[in-house]
Amino acid sequence: MEKTWRWFGKKDKITLAMLRQIGIEGIVTALHDVPLGEVWTREAIRDLREYIEAAGLRWSVVESLPVTETIKYGGPDRDQQIEVYKESLRNLAAEGIYTVCYNFMPVLDWARTDLLHPNPDGSSNLYFSYAEFAYFDIYILKRKGAREEWKNMAPLSSPEGDTDAQSSISKTTEAPSGAVGGAARNILAEVDALAKEMTPEREHELVENIVIKTQGFVSGNFREDDEAPLELFHQLLAKYEGIDKDQLRANMKYFLEAIMPTCEECGINMCVHPDDPPIPILGLPRIVRTAEDIRWFLNAVPNPHNGLTFCAGSLSAGAYNDVVAMAREFAPRTHFVHLRSCHIFPNGDFTEASHLGGRADLIELCKIFGPLLTSPKGEGLPFRVDHGRTMLGDETRGYNAGYSFLGRMFAMAQMQGVLATLEHEAPLPAPPQGGE
Ligand code: DNO
C-alpha cells in the first residue's frame, strides 16, 4: 500500500519536510482556498503539485473535490455545477492526479460532539455522544420535528430491511452485562437531563465542535469565520425538504452518470467517502453507510471509475457493519483506504479506538488491501491513517481537529509495522516492469 498523509496545504503547521522524515510517500490534499463551486484551474493545481514534488513527495489523492449541495439536492444549477466539476477533473488529470475522494453527505460532513475526549492514559480522542448531538439538534438548532425523530432513534439498530446488517450486529458488538441496550435507550430523557445541567460555555463548545472546528477546514459548507452558522444551517436544511433516501440516491446516480465519461476519458478514479457517522442525522437521508448502500451505488453505475474510499473508521461506527466482510466484498472497487477504527459503547456512543484495537480489525484489512496495486507502475493502493489520538503536546499546537501530528504519526508507525510484518510473511510479487 502507498503510505499517504492528509496535509492541508502550504499553511499546514505540519510541513512536508516533517512528513518525509516519517516515511510518508504520497500526499492527500485539496485546493482548500478555492471557494466551493469554482473550477480548480490547471495553474493552481500545478503550483501545488510542484510544491509537493519539490519536497520529494507526490500528490497521490485529492481529498476532497467537494460536490456542492445543489448537486446533492438536485437544484436548478446542478448541471452547471457538474460542468464545473468535470472541468476540475480534467485539470487534475492533466496534472497527473487521478484519485479523487468526495462525499455525498447532505449539509454536514463528518460529525463529533467532543474533540478532546480524555482517555485513561492521558491522551485524548474524538467522541460522538448521541445525547449531546440530539441536544444540539433539539435545543440549539431547534429543528422542527427533531424531538419526534430522536424519540424513535435506536443507535444500535440496523437500517430497515438490511438483513446483512442485522446479523452482523450480534456478531460484532459486545454488550457487557448490565449495560443499556441500544434499542432501549431513551435519548430524549437523556437530552432533557442534559438541558438541566447545560452551561452557555458547553453549548458554545458543542456548536464549535459540530459546526466550526470539524467543518471549517474540510472545504465544507461552514467556515471558521462564519458569524451566523446556525442560520446557514437552517437555510441549507430547507433545501432538502422533500428529499428522501430514494431521491438522494437518484441524485447521486445522476451525478455519477454525468461525470463517468470524463473519468473514463482522463483515467480518474472517483471514490466516495462513507457517511460519518453512518446514521441519518438532522432529518437528512444518508446513503453511504451500510453494505447494502455501497452495493447499491456501485451497481447503479457499474463503471470501475466509480469506486469507494474504504473508511474503516466511519464504517466501524455503525454496529450493523461487519467491516472485514465489507472490505473483502468491496476491495475490487476501492481506490483509497482510510485506516481507523472505532469502539462502540454499549449505549451506541462511539469513540476512536487505537489503530490496533476497536471494531475495524485494521490488521485483517491490511491483509486484504495490502496486495492490491492501483496502477501498472506498481504503486500500492493509497492509504492514510485517519484521525489519531491527540497526545504528548499535540493539543497545544493548533492542529485541525482529529489531525494531530504525534498521534497520527504513532498510528502511522503502527500501520507501517503491520504492513512490514505481513510483507515479511508473504512477500508481494515484484511490480511489472516498464510502466504504462
Ligand atoms: C474527516 C474526513 C472527511 C472526508 C470527507 C471526504 O475527517 O474523513 O471530512 O475528508 O468527507 O469528502
mmCIF file with all atom_site columns, all heavy atoms in Angstrom, residues 380-392:
data_model
loop_
_atom_site.group_PDB
_atom_site.id
_atom_site.type_symbol
_atom_site.label_atom_id
_atom_site.label_alt_id
_atom_site.label_comp_id
_atom_site.label_asym_id
_atom_site.label_entity_id
_atom_site.label_seq_id
_atom_site.pdbx_PDB_ins_code
_atom_site.Cartn_x
_atom_site.Cartn_y
_atom_site.Cartn_z
_atom_site.occupancy
_atom_site.B_iso_or_equiv
_atom_site.pdbx_formal_charge
_atom_site.auth_seq_id
_atom_site.auth_comp_id
_atom_site.auth_asym_id
_atom_site.auth_atom_id
_atom_site.pdbx_PDB_model_num
ATOM 1   N N   . GLY A 1 380 ? 1.150   1.007  -4.816 1.00 0.00 ? 380 GLY A N   1
ATOM 2   C CA  . GLY A 1 380 ? 0.153   0.333  -3.984 1.00 0.00 ? 380 GLY A CA  1
ATOM 3   C C   . GLY A 1 380 ? -1.098  1.177  -3.873 1.00 0.00 ? 380 GLY A C   1
ATOM 4   O O   . GLY A 1 380 ? -1.105  2.372  -4.188 1.00 0.00 ? 380 GLY A O   1
ATOM 5   N N   . LEU A 1 381 ? -2.150  0.541  -3.406 1.00 0.00 ? 381 LEU A N   1
ATOM 6   C CA  . LEU A 1 381 ? -3.388  1.261  -3.137 1.00 0.00 ? 381 LEU A CA  1
ATOM 7   C C   . LEU A 1 381 ? -3.082  2.320  -2.066 1.00 0.00 ? 381 LEU A C   1
ATOM 8   O O   . LEU A 1 381 ? -2.538  1.988  -1.024 1.00 0.00 ? 381 LEU A O   1
ATOM 9   C CB  . LEU A 1 381 ? -4.400  0.242  -2.617 1.00 0.00 ? 381 LEU A CB  1
ATOM 10  C CG  . LEU A 1 381 ? -5.786  0.707  -2.257 1.00 0.00 ? 381 LEU A CG  1
ATOM 11  C CD1 . LEU A 1 381 ? -6.521  1.222  -3.475 1.00 0.00 ? 381 LEU A CD1 1
ATOM 12  C CD2 . LEU A 1 381 ? -6.566  -0.462 -1.635 1.00 0.00 ? 381 LEU A CD2 1
ATOM 13  N N   . PRO A 1 382 ? -3.412  3.600  -2.309 1.00 0.00 ? 382 PRO A N   1
ATOM 14  C CA  . PRO A 1 382 ? -3.062  4.604  -1.295 1.00 0.00 ? 382 PRO A CA  1
ATOM 15  C C   . PRO A 1 382 ? -3.898  4.452  -0.028 1.00 0.00 ? 382 PRO A C   1
ATOM 16  O O   . PRO A 1 382 ? -5.093  4.204  -0.100 1.00 0.00 ? 382 PRO A O   1
ATOM 17  C CB  . PRO A 1 382 ? -3.363  5.947  -1.980 1.00 0.00 ? 382 PRO A CB  1
ATOM 18  C CG  . PRO A 1 382 ? -4.237  5.635  -3.138 1.00 0.00 ? 382 PRO A CG  1
ATOM 19  C CD  . PRO A 1 382 ? -4.045  4.189  -3.495 1.00 0.00 ? 382 PRO A CD  1
ATOM 20  N N   . PHE A 1 383 ? -3.237  4.570  1.103  1.00 0.00 ? 383 PHE A N   1
ATOM 21  C CA  . PHE A 1 383 ? -3.987  4.619  2.366  1.00 0.00 ? 383 PHE A CA  1
ATOM 22  C C   . PHE A 1 383 ? -3.425  5.746  3.200  1.00 0.00 ? 383 PHE A C   1
ATOM 23  O O   . PHE A 1 383 ? -2.270  6.124  3.059  1.00 0.00 ? 383 PHE A O   1
ATOM 24  C CB  . PHE A 1 383 ? -3.892  3.296  3.148  1.00 0.00 ? 383 PHE A CB  1
ATOM 25  C CG  . PHE A 1 383 ? -2.648  3.165  3.984  1.00 0.00 ? 383 PHE A CG  1
ATOM 26  C CD1 . PHE A 1 383 ? -2.655  3.531  5.334  1.00 0.00 ? 383 PHE A CD1 1
ATOM 27  C CD2 . PHE A 1 383 ? -1.456  2.702  3.433  1.00 0.00 ? 383 PHE A CD2 1
ATOM 28  C CE1 . PHE A 1 383 ? -1.493  3.431  6.109  1.00 0.00 ? 383 PHE A CE1 1
ATOM 29  C CE2 . PHE A 1 383 ? -0.307  2.594  4.200  1.00 0.00 ? 383 PHE A CE2 1
ATOM 30  C CZ  . PHE A 1 383 ? -0.319  2.957  5.539  1.00 0.00 ? 383 PHE A CZ  1
ATOM 31  N N   . ARG A 1 384 ? -4.277  6.282  4.046  1.00 0.00 ? 384 ARG A N   1
ATOM 32  C CA  . ARG A 1 384 ? -3.761  7.193  5.065  1.00 0.00 ? 384 ARG A CA  1
ATOM 33  C C   . ARG A 1 384 ? -4.334  6.770  6.395  1.00 0.00 ? 384 ARG A C   1
ATOM 34  O O   . ARG A 1 384 ? -5.405  6.160  6.447  1.00 0.00 ? 384 ARG A O   1
ATOM 35  C CB  . ARG A 1 384 ? -4.119  8.653  4.758  1.00 0.00 ? 384 ARG A CB  1
ATOM 36  C CG  . ARG A 1 384 ? -5.603  9.011  4.867  1.00 0.00 ? 384 ARG A CG  1
ATOM 37  C CD  . ARG A 1 384 ? -5.765  10.523 4.691  1.00 0.00 ? 384 ARG A CD  1
ATOM 38  N NE  . ARG A 1 384 ? -7.134  10.975 4.720  1.00 0.00 ? 384 ARG A NE  1
ATOM 39  C CZ  . ARG A 1 384 ? -7.806  11.305 5.818  1.00 0.00 ? 384 ARG A CZ  1
ATOM 40  N NH1 . ARG A 1 384 ? -7.241  11.176 7.003  1.00 0.00 ? 384 ARG A NH1 1
ATOM 41  N NH2 . ARG A 1 384 ? -9.042  11.753 5.748  1.00 0.00 ? 384 ARG A NH2 1
ATOM 42  N N   . VAL A 1 385 ? -3.571  7.050  7.476  1.00 0.00 ? 385 VAL A N   1
ATOM 43  C CA  . VAL A 1 385 ? -4.204  6.828  8.768  1.00 0.00 ? 385 VAL A CA  1
ATOM 44  C C   . VAL A 1 385 ? -5.149  7.999  8.924  1.00 0.00 ? 385 VAL A C   1
ATOM 45  O O   . VAL A 1 385 ? -4.842  9.130  8.571  1.00 0.00 ? 385 VAL A O   1
ATOM 46  C CB  . VAL A 1 385 ? -3.209  6.750  9.954  1.00 0.00 ? 385 VAL A CB  1
ATOM 47  C CG1 . VAL A 1 385 ? -2.364  5.516  9.868  1.00 0.00 ? 385 VAL A CG1 1
ATOM 48  C CG2 . VAL A 1 385 ? -2.357  7.986  10.042 1.00 0.00 ? 385 VAL A CG2 1
ATOM 49  N N   . ASP A 1 386 ? -6.331  7.692  9.400  1.00 0.00 ? 386 ASP A N   1
ATOM 50  C CA  . ASP A 1 386 ? -7.322  8.742  9.543  1.00 0.00 ? 386 ASP A CA  1
ATOM 51  C C   . ASP A 1 386 ? -7.416  9.053  11.025 1.00 0.00 ? 386 ASP A C   1
ATOM 52  O O   . ASP A 1 386 ? -7.402  8.153  11.856 1.00 0.00 ? 386 ASP A O   1
ATOM 53  C CB  . ASP A 1 386 ? -8.659  8.226  9.005  1.00 0.00 ? 386 ASP A CB  1
ATOM 54  C CG  . ASP A 1 386 ? -9.650  9.340  8.797  1.00 0.00 ? 386 ASP A CG  1
ATOM 55  O OD1 . ASP A 1 386 ? -9.225  10.504 8.753  1.00 0.00 ? 386 ASP A OD1 1
ATOM 56  O OD2 . ASP A 1 386 ? -10.844 9.042  8.672  1.00 0.00 ? 386 ASP A OD2 1
ATOM 57  N N   . HIS A 1 387 ? -7.500  10.305 11.304 1.00 0.00 ? 387 HIS A N   1
ATOM 58  C CA  . HIS A 1 387 ? -7.563  10.787 12.683 1.00 0.00 ? 387 HIS A CA  1
ATOM 59  C C   . HIS A 1 387 ? -6.430  10.128 13.473 1.00 0.00 ? 387 HIS A C   1
ATOM 60  O O   . HIS A 1 387 ? -5.536  9.538  12.916 1.00 0.00 ? 387 HIS A O   1
ATOM 61  C CB  . HIS A 1 387 ? -8.924  10.507 13.311 1.00 0.00 ? 387 HIS A CB  1
ATOM 62  C CG  . HIS A 1 387 ? -10.048 11.092 12.478 1.00 0.00 ? 387 HIS A CG  1
ATOM 63  N ND1 . HIS A 1 387 ? -11.350 10.774 12.636 1.00 0.00 ? 387 HIS A ND1 1
ATOM 64  C CD2 . HIS A 1 387 ? -10.010 11.977 11.461 1.00 0.00 ? 387 HIS A CD2 1
ATOM 65  C CE1 . HIS A 1 387 ? -12.088 11.419 11.762 1.00 0.00 ? 387 HIS A CE1 1
ATOM 66  N NE2 . HIS A 1 387 ? -11.282 12.156 11.027 1.00 0.00 ? 387 HIS A NE2 1
ATOM 67  N N   . GLY A 1 388 ? -6.490  10.240 14.742 1.00 0.00 ? 388 GLY A N   1
ATOM 68  C CA  . GLY A 1 388 ? -5.416  9.709  15.562 1.00 0.00 ? 388 GLY A CA  1
ATOM 69  C C   . GLY A 1 388 ? -5.573  10.383 16.886 1.00 0.00 ? 388 GLY A C   1
ATOM 70  O O   . GLY A 1 388 ? -6.276  11.394 17.003 1.00 0.00 ? 388 GLY A O   1
ATOM 71  N N   . ARG A 1 389 ? -4.944  9.795  17.884 1.00 0.00 ? 389 ARG A N   1
ATOM 72  C CA  . ARG A 1 389 ? -5.067  10.414 19.198 1.00 0.00 ? 389 ARG A CA  1
ATOM 73  C C   . ARG A 1 389 ? -4.397  11.785 19.218 1.00 0.00 ? 389 ARG A C   1
ATOM 74  O O   . ARG A 1 389 ? -3.515  12.063 18.415 1.00 0.00 ? 389 ARG A O   1
ATOM 75  C CB  . ARG A 1 389 ? -4.383  9.521  20.226 1.00 0.00 ? 389 ARG A CB  1
ATOM 76  C CG  . ARG A 1 389 ? -5.315  8.454  20.723 1.00 0.00 ? 389 ARG A CG  1
ATOM 77  C CD  . ARG A 1 389 ? -4.646  7.635  21.764 1.00 0.00 ? 389 ARG A CD  1
ATOM 78  N NE  . ARG A 1 389 ? -3.824  6.608  21.153 1.00 0.00 ? 389 ARG A NE  1
ATOM 79  C CZ  . ARG A 1 389 ? -3.045  5.803  21.862 1.00 0.00 ? 389 ARG A CZ  1
ATOM 80  N NH1 . ARG A 1 389 ? -2.953  5.935  23.168 1.00 0.00 ? 389 ARG A NH1 1
ATOM 81  N NH2 . ARG A 1 389 ? -2.347  4.861  21.267 1.00 0.00 ? 389 ARG A NH2 1
ATOM 82  N N   . THR A 1 390 ? -4.832  12.607 20.154 1.00 0.00 ? 390 THR A N   1
ATOM 83  C CA  . THR A 1 390 ? -4.147  13.866 20.426 1.00 0.00 ? 390 THR A CA  1
ATOM 84  C C   . THR A 1 390 ? -3.297  13.570 21.651 1.00 0.00 ? 390 THR A C   1
ATOM 85  O O   . THR A 1 390 ? -3.818  13.151 22.685 1.00 0.00 ? 390 THR A O   1
ATOM 86  C CB  . THR A 1 390 ? -5.182  14.971 20.705 1.00 0.00 ? 390 THR A CB  1
ATOM 87  O OG1 . THR A 1 390 ? -5.964  15.118 19.526 1.00 0.00 ? 390 THR A OG1 1
ATOM 88  C CG2 . THR A 1 390 ? -4.510  16.308 21.003 1.00 0.00 ? 390 THR A CG2 1
ATOM 89  N N   . MET A 1 391 ? -1.985  13.699 21.506 1.00 0.00 ? 391 MET A N   1
ATOM 90  C CA  . MET A 1 391 ? -1.121  13.225 22.597 1.00 0.00 ? 391 MET A CA  1
ATOM 91  C C   . MET A 1 391 ? 0.192   14.004 22.683 1.00 0.00 ? 391 MET A C   1
ATOM 92  O O   . MET A 1 391 ? 0.597   14.660 21.709 1.00 0.00 ? 391 MET A O   1
ATOM 93  C CB  . MET A 1 391 ? -0.829  11.718 22.407 1.00 0.00 ? 391 MET A CB  1
ATOM 94  C CG  . MET A 1 391 ? -0.072  11.389 21.142 1.00 0.00 ? 391 MET A CG  1
ATOM 95  S SD  . MET A 1 391 ? -0.227  9.641  20.638 1.00 0.00 ? 391 MET A SD  1
ATOM 96  C CE  . MET A 1 391 ? 0.627   8.807  21.955 1.00 0.00 ? 391 MET A CE  1
ATOM 97  N N   . LEU A 1 392 ? 0.799   13.928 23.841 1.00 0.00 ? 392 LEU A N   1
ATOM 98  C CA  . LEU A 1 392 ? 2.168   14.421 24.046 1.00 0.00 ? 392 LEU A CA  1
ATOM 99  C C   . LEU A 1 392 ? 2.367   15.864 23.582 1.00 0.00 ? 392 LEU A C   1
ATOM 100 O O   . LEU A 1 392 ? 3.386   16.198 22.983 1.00 0.00 ? 392 LEU A O   1
ATOM 101 C CB  . LEU A 1 392 ? 3.151   13.499 23.311 1.00 0.00 ? 392 LEU A CB  1
ATOM 102 C CG  . LEU A 1 392 ? 3.105   12.031 23.724 1.00 0.00 ? 392 LEU A CG  1
ATOM 103 C CD1 . LEU A 1 392 ? 3.923   11.181 22.762 1.00 0.00 ? 392 LEU A CD1 1
ATOM 104 C CD2 . LEU A 1 392 ? 3.609   11.855 25.157 1.00 0.00 ? 392 LEU A CD2 1
#
